[in-house]
Amino acid sequence: MDRSPATILRWLFGSQSGLTDRQIPRWIFLRTLAAIYFSAFFSLLFQIKGLIGPQGILPAQQYLAAVAEHLGSQRFWYAPTLFWLSSGSHMLMAVTWIGLAASVVALFNLWPRLCFALCFVCFLSFVSAAGDFSGYQSDGMLLEAGFIALFFTPGGLLPGWGERSPVRRAALFLLLWEWFRIYFESGIVKLLSGDPEWRSLTAMDEYYQNGPLPTWIGWYVQHLPHWFHVATAAGTLVMELGIVWMLFLPRRLRLICFFIVTPWEIGVILTANYTFLNYLVLCLGFLLLDDRSIRWLVPTRWRSRLPREVSVQSSDNADQTEPVLSILSAPEGAAKEEKKPAAPRRGTADHLRALRLAVVAVLLTWIAYDTTAELLRMPFPDLPLPSGPVIALEPLRIANRYGLFAVMTRGRYEIEFQGSNDGQNWTPYPFRNKPQALNEAPRIYAPYQPRFDWNLWFASLGDWQQYQIVPMTEERLLEASPDVLALFRSNPFAQAPPRYVRAVLWQYWFTSMAEKKSTGNWWRREPIGLYAPVLTRTVAGKFGVVQWPEPLPQHN
């Protein structure tokens, strides 16, 4: 093999010199990525106006105006969003519908590269303008995977399996690198946090109850014996810090890794609602496979367009001699068939191809550097690495640091909004998704993401001064904002808004098996106190405080 710099660049970043035995996993990943984009935009259809619309909780117009005042002309880079053009309700819905339509077209494999580009731009537009409603790791995961997928997706209107666009090695590696970092960095933060629950392997004892949005399956799993929770806590650490390293080992070990982490992810999906996060990790895991391992799943009439299958004998020999990072290696046989590149020509088309290759190489190398630097700085924060490239990409959210469940929450708390016309009798506003009614089973609705309910779980662990979405919601309820009321299951004050609105804090627990059998309740709860100021609206239309809350006891 020619080892000149130009050849190496083409081998790593070029499509025509790419891998030909990853087309089925690529096809599966891209279809599932389109489905995840669909779930993200579909959930926004019913929420975006209530979250950041003109009559929403945190209007994007006010947020972007503050950004413009502080950053001036730099605002377009640090807040990259189409909502600079307009942040009215029609624009919010238009961007959401464009993203939703593009995800459906990508799902059917029609002009997928263009469709994924539209999905990325539309979702980034929301994330950049949504303030507190978009600071989730799952958003960064989707944007990172979505951006890299632009270099992973075959071109053309009807690319089929993508036989004319072999898989770029660098793009494949960066997607698997993201998969690896989600696990490994989550394991690192658990060790660095010093959380005694991870050190004593009691982290899973109340995990199913205390997570953001539990499921009914999680209720049953919570009641399994203590040894099960110890085993799953230990298994989590072993998988995040050890098993995922099998990515860098020969093919057979990668396949074993896939069959370990995939059932684990399915278990997480069934026992907790983490929106599309675990679905994304699950579909990234399919890139551990190759065509040979799943070719049998493809209907016979569609196999003819796939590359010729490598003989079993040569494949077995290859498994025994594969080098580290063999995920980037071409299968034996394929390398023999690779044609020697033709002598370079000096035409315009060749210059454009060279320029495109250079741009791809710079962007993917930039992401690789940033993500590696972020990982290394977790255990070694003073490591003298250049920070400029990392800072420059931060607004795009395409090179992120991850770390899930560094510290486990030690209780489940719920904020409830209540209205009253006399200040004595209070009626709650019913939520759509988060726990409230004691006899209502927690449901499974992921990958759908109820961002309002999700944010209130985080707010319940702090106080109202830290989470202004709570008093802002009180104000919108006093105004009877139809967009905010749509975030709730129903409006108990349909005739006219209440005179007073307050937010109270409860502590929730799963009921025991015996309690559920006798009462039918899935939950029990006790009041903690007033969470935020009790608000009213004066005749002049201004908001006034009726009662200030007392300091809450420690509850996180």
Side-chain angles (χ1 to χ4, degrees):
M1 175 182 173
D2 180 9
R3 297 185 181 276
S4 66
T7 301
I8 293 174
L9 276 177
R10 286 194 296 270
W11 186 82
L12 272 176
F13 302 103
S15 176
Q16 296 307 311
S17 302
L19 298 167
T20 58
D21 67 334
R22 302 291 196 280
Q23 292 180 10
I24 303 175
R26 176 174 66 177
W27 189 94
I28 294 173
F29 167 75
L30 293 176
R31 303 292 76 75
T32 54
L33 179 64
I36 290 170
Y37 265 129
F38 177 87
S39 73
F41 290 115
F42 181 77
S43 66
L44 288 179
L45 278 181
F46 307 99
Q47 302 176 69
I48 191 167
K49 291 194 293 184
L51 298 177
I52 63 172
Q55 294 181 301
I57 299 170
L58 298 176
Q61 184 177 11
Q62 296 178 13
Y63 173 75
L64 293 177
V67 172
E69 182 181 351
H70 286 85
L71 296 178
S73 60
Q74 293 182 325
R75 65 187 184 274
F76 300 113
W77 176 258
Y78 287 100
T81 174
L82 295 174
F83 299 134
W84 286 116
L85 302 175
S86 171
S87 54
S89 294
H90 294 303
M91 184 65 172
L92 296 177
M93 295 303 295
V95 170
T96 304
W97 275 110
I98 291 171
L100 187 75
S103 68
V104 172
V105 177
L107 183 64
F108 288 97
N109 203 21
L110 301 173
W111 213 337
R113 189 176 293 170
L114 173 63
C115 290
F116 282 124
L118 289 173
C119 288
F120 176 82
V121 170
C122 291
F123 192 64
L124 177 63
S125 292
F126 167 77
V127 169
S128 298
D132 292 343
F133 288 115
S134 65
Y136 313 130
Q137 293 190 59
S138 56
D139 292 335
M141 292 177 190
L142 180 54
L143 287 171
E144 182 174 337
F147 184 79
I148 299 170
L150 299 179
F151 307 94
F152 189 64
T153 305
L157 177 62
L158 295 168
W161 292 109
E163 59 272 13
R164 295 184 178 180
S165 301
V167 176
R168 283 190 174 93
R169 289 176 172 83
L172 171 64
F173 176 77
L174 285 178
L175 288 168
L176 284 168
W177 179 236
E178 179 182 359
W179 173 89
F180 171 81
R181 286 167 29 243
I182 291 170
Y183 282 109
F184 186 63
E185 292 179 354
S186 295
I188 288 178
V189 296
K190 291 176 176 61
L191 297 183
L192 296 178
S193 70
D195 185 13
E197 295 198 16
W198 283 113
R199 293 173 182 251
S200 62
L201 300 182
T202 59
M204 304 298 289
D205 287 2
E206 296 183 339
Y207 155 82
Y208 306 96
Q209 167 191 281
N210 296 342
L213 297 168
T215 71
W216 63 270
I217 296 176
W219 187 94
Y220 287 101
V221 175
Q222 182 74 61
H223 292 86
L224 292 176
H226 178 63
W227 65 261
F228 175 84
H229 301 307
V230 172
T232 51
T236 298
L237 294 174
V238 170
M239 184 177 67
E240 291 179 345
L241 295 170
I243 290 175
V244 294
W245 284 93
M246 295 168 74
L247 162 67
F248 303 105
L249 300 180
R251 175 180 180 271
R252 289 182 179 177
L253 294 177
R254 291 199 305 273
L255 296 181
I256 293 172
C257 179
F258 171 82
F259 286 107
I260 293 174
V261 298
T262 299
W264 192 282
E265 282 300 326
I266 293 173
V268 175
I269 288 170
L270 293 175
T271 55
N273 289 293
Y274 293 119
T275 69
F276 53 76
L277 188 155
N278 295 100
Y279 287 88
L280 180 58
V281 178
L282 184 70
C283 77
L284 283 168
F286 276 93
L287 297 178
L288 291 165
L289 305 175
D290 54 27
D291 289 352
R292 179 155 50 102
S293 61
I294 52 177
R295 192 184 188 103
W296 60 275
L297 292 173
V298 180
T300 305
R301 63 181 181 275
W302 293 344
R303 293 183 193 175
S304 60
R305 302 187 66 182
L306 290 168
R308 180 177 58 82
E309 190 170 9
V310 183
S311 68
V312 174
Q313 182 177 1
S314 64
S315 300
D316 290 341
N317 293 336
D319 284 346
Q320 298 172 11
T321 60
E322 277 186 308
V324 175
L325 285 179
S326 60
I327 191 70
L328 301 181
S329 302
E332 186 175 335
K336 296 177 182 178
E337 297 173 6
E338 185 175 344
K339 297 180 180 179
K340 184 177 180 179
R345 294 174 295 174
R346 298 180 181 275
T348 302
D350 297 291
H351 290 305
L352 290 177
R353 280 193 291 269
L355 178 62
R356 181 173 61 182
L357 178 65
V359 171
V360 171
V362 169
L363 289 175
L364 296 186
T365 303
W366 194 349
I367 293 173
Y369 169 79
D370 283 11
T371 53
T372 303
E374 291 277 49
L375 189 155
L376 293 175
R377 280 177 171 161
M378 294 177 74
F380 309 108
D382 298 325
L383 203 62
L385 294 173
S387 299
V390 178
I391 296 172
L393 280 190
E394 281 181 355
L396 299 179
R397 301 284 296 276
I398 59 175
N400 307 291
R401 176 188 293 181
Y402 304 112
L404 304 170
F405 292 104
V407 177
M408 303 301 287
T409 54
R410 293 165 174 81
R412 169 161 212 94
Y413 304 93
E414 295 291 351
I415 296 170
E416 183 177 71
F417 293 97
Q418 300 174 346
S420 173
N421 286 317
D422 58 12
Q424 300 298 320
N425 301 294
W426 296 88
T427 302
Y429 285 83
F431 290 103
R432 290 184 178 272
N433 300 289
K434 78 187 195 76
Q436 189 172 23
L438 302 183
N439 62 351
E440 184 175 344
R443 295 175 292 128
I444 300 175
Y445 44 80
Y448 184 90
Q449 183 170 19
R451 290 177 182 265
F452 177 57
D453 301 52
W454 186 270
N455 260 51
L456 289 176
W457 178 81
F458 288 99
S460 71
L461 302 174
D463 58 55
W464 69 273
Q465 287 122 327
Q466 296 173 289
Y467 295 92
Q468 286 296 302
I469 64 167
V470 176
M472 293 298 294
T473 301
E474 292 181 332
E475 292 180 4
R476 297 297 175 264
L477 294 177
L478 287 170
E479 295 174 334
S481 167
D483 294 334
V484 173
L485 286 168
L487 300 173
F488 293 87
R489 183 173 299 179
S490 62
N491 178 14
F493 299 91
Q495 300 302 318
R499 186 176 179 183
Y500 308 100
V501 171
R502 70 179 185 179
V504 297
L505 188 68
W506 300 85
Q507 183 167 6
Y508 275 64
W509 297 268
F510 279 154
T511 54
S512 65
M513 289 283 193
E515 286 177 299
K516 184 178 182 300
K517 185 176 181 180
S518 62
T519 66
N521 290 340
W522 296 80
W523 299 97
R524 61 184 179 88
R525 70 178 187 176
E526 293 181 1
I528 300 295
L530 188 64
Y531 179 86
V534 181
L535 299 184
T536 189
R537 198 175 187 192
T538 66
V539 177
K542 296 183 178 181
F543 300 104
V545 176
V546 176
Q547 180 183 351
W548 293 96
E550 298 290 333
L552 291 169
Q554 183 69 27
H555 62 282
N556 53 25

